[in-house]
Amino acid sequence: MKMAQKNNLPNGGTRLPGYSGIGVMSEEDQRFYREITENTIESKRKRIDTIRNPGKDIIEQIKYLSFDPYSKRDIVAYLLQNGPFIIHFLKPSTLLDEQGNDFIDFVESDEHLYFREIAALLKELEKPRYANVVKKHAEYIRSVKRAAEMWEALLQMREEAGELLNCGDEEPNTVFIDDDAGLEDCASAYNMVKDFILSCARWELGKVALQGELVKLHVKDAVKKYIAEQKELLHSYFRTYMRDVNRLIPLVDWNGSDK
């Protein structure tokens, strides 16, 4: 094996001619170049075709699909970690990634291509012949399934109530409700977010279903605090952007009471 040859330039701080910056892209230019070459739908589809090979281990396929090489991020872990906190949904600028994209950008991005394939593989795992695989990787599969459910729920909230749940980065006192019909839409949007919060709470409680009573009690207290904080944040959001939030309260429900 040949050793790399040393250059013949003197090592005394000699300056090269003023062309050393040619071909060197700024960080912004590099991000743009990667965006148009590595982060296109076509490049994602090609990668998916490479991963989705019947000869490959199904769990390995899910793991590869979960990792986005462009953002260098595990999209399943990212969603499980940040998704439950609705501040990122109501006020997207509270969570910006390395490329400057907010949480809504993430939810509405081409990552749905990966999640769609992950959902298909989760469906495949329901077949009897994968019973041993499911048993061996039960905890991991459960986490991936939860991430896929969250993705669908967040997309549904965006599609059905995006205009009412997209004021968080606007100036306070923005009124998005003026009549009774709009009030019903607000109640529907509120309840969608409420159901999402409670589903996240049930998920956390389910994770420790087989743990000892002390662990269950600790998690139960943490979940109770989580629900209270998210509920108050949701109320604060509607108080900020509605003219009279008290008109909304009788139309919504939270475990039988929203007082």
Side-chain angles (χ1 to χ4, degrees):
M1 178 178 178
K2 289 186 178 180
M3 298 294 292
Q5 293 182 344
K6 295 182 178 180
N7 64 56
N8 295 315
L9 296 173
N11 193 22
T14 303
R15 297 188 56 155
L16 295 174
Y19 54 72
S20 57
I22 293 179
V24 178
M25 293 190 290
S26 66
E27 289 187 12
E28 183 177 354
D29 288 340
Q30 290 180 48
R31 283 196 298 269
F32 175 74
Y33 178 76
R34 292 183 62 222
E35 182 73 34
I36 63 176
T37 58
E38 301 175 26
N39 198 40
T40 63
I41 291 180
E42 290 75 16
S43 64
K44 280 183 168 64
R45 284 176 175 161
K46 287 180 181 178
R47 181 170 181 264
I48 288 170
D49 289 341
T50 301
I51 295 171
R52 292 284 271 117
N53 187 319
K56 290 184 178 180
D57 179 86
I58 194 167
I59 298 298
E60 288 300 311
Q61 289 185 56
I62 293 176
K63 288 181 178 179
Y64 277 114
L65 289 167
S66 298
F67 181 75
D68 183 348
Y70 171 73
S71 62
K72 299 180 181 179
R73 176 170 58 207
D74 185 320
I75 59 176
V76 167
Y78 187 80
L79 192 52
L80 289 174
Q81 179 179 352
N82 299 299
F85 301 100
I86 60 167
I87 185 64
H88 304 316
F89 190 85
L90 300 177
K91 191 176 178 64
S93 63
T94 56
L95 185 68
L96 300 178
D97 64 15
E98 299 80 3
Q99 287 79 40
N101 299 314
D102 60 36
F103 188 66
I104 297 302
D105 292 329
F106 170 72
V107 170
E108 295 184 330
S109 71
D110 295 334
E111 305 291 17
H112 76 272
L113 295 174
Y114 290 139
F115 272 108
R116 185 179 64 190
E117 296 298 324
I118 289 171
L121 288 171
L122 290 172
K123 189 70 176 176
E124 182 73 12
L125 283 170
E126 295 177 3
K127 295 180 179 179
R129 69 170 179 268
Y130 290 111
N132 290 334
V133 175
V134 172
K135 183 177 180 180
K136 181 179 180 181
H137 301 280
E139 185 175 350
Y140 175 71
I141 292 171
R142 185 168 175 269
S143 295
V144 175
K145 185 177 180 180
R146 175 56 189 160
E149 291 171 350
M150 290 174 68
W151 184 272
E152 290 295 332
L154 290 167
L155 275 179
Q156 184 180 7
M157 284 196 289
R158 267 309 269 174
E159 292 170 359
E160 296 185 13
E163 291 184 1
L164 299 178
L165 300 174
N166 192 33
C167 300
D169 287 325
E170 303 295 333
E171 290 296 323
N173 301 318
T174 301
V175 176
F176 57 56
I177 172 67
D178 288 312
D179 52 36
D180 290 338
L183 187 64
E184 292 180 4
D185 289 338
C186 278
S188 176
Y190 178 103
N191 279 317
M192 288 182 73
V193 181
K194 177 210 67 176
D195 290 343
F196 179 76
I197 292 169
L198 293 179
S199 74
C200 291
R202 287 191 295 270
W203 154 256
E204 291 298 328
L205 291 174
K207 284 163 60 177
V208 297
L210 300 179
Q211 300 292 325
E213 290 303 316
L214 190 61
V215 173
K216 287 182 182 179
L217 183 61
H218 174 74
V219 173
K220 186 176 181 179
D221 287 342
V223 167
K224 186 176 181 180
K225 181 179 179 182
Y226 161 79
I227 291 176
E229 290 176 346
Q230 301 306 304
K231 179 179 178 180
E232 175 54 33
L233 197 154
L234 186 57
H235 282 183
S236 177
Y237 174 82
F238 278 93
R239 281 196 298 266
T240 301
Y241 296 102
M242 284 186 66
R243 177 179 288 118
D244 184 6
V245 73
N246 291 326
R247 296 178 62 206
L248 174 67
I249 300 304
L251 299 180
V252 301
D253 176 72
W254 199 301
N255 290 342
S257 174
D258 200 85
K259 307 247 182 240

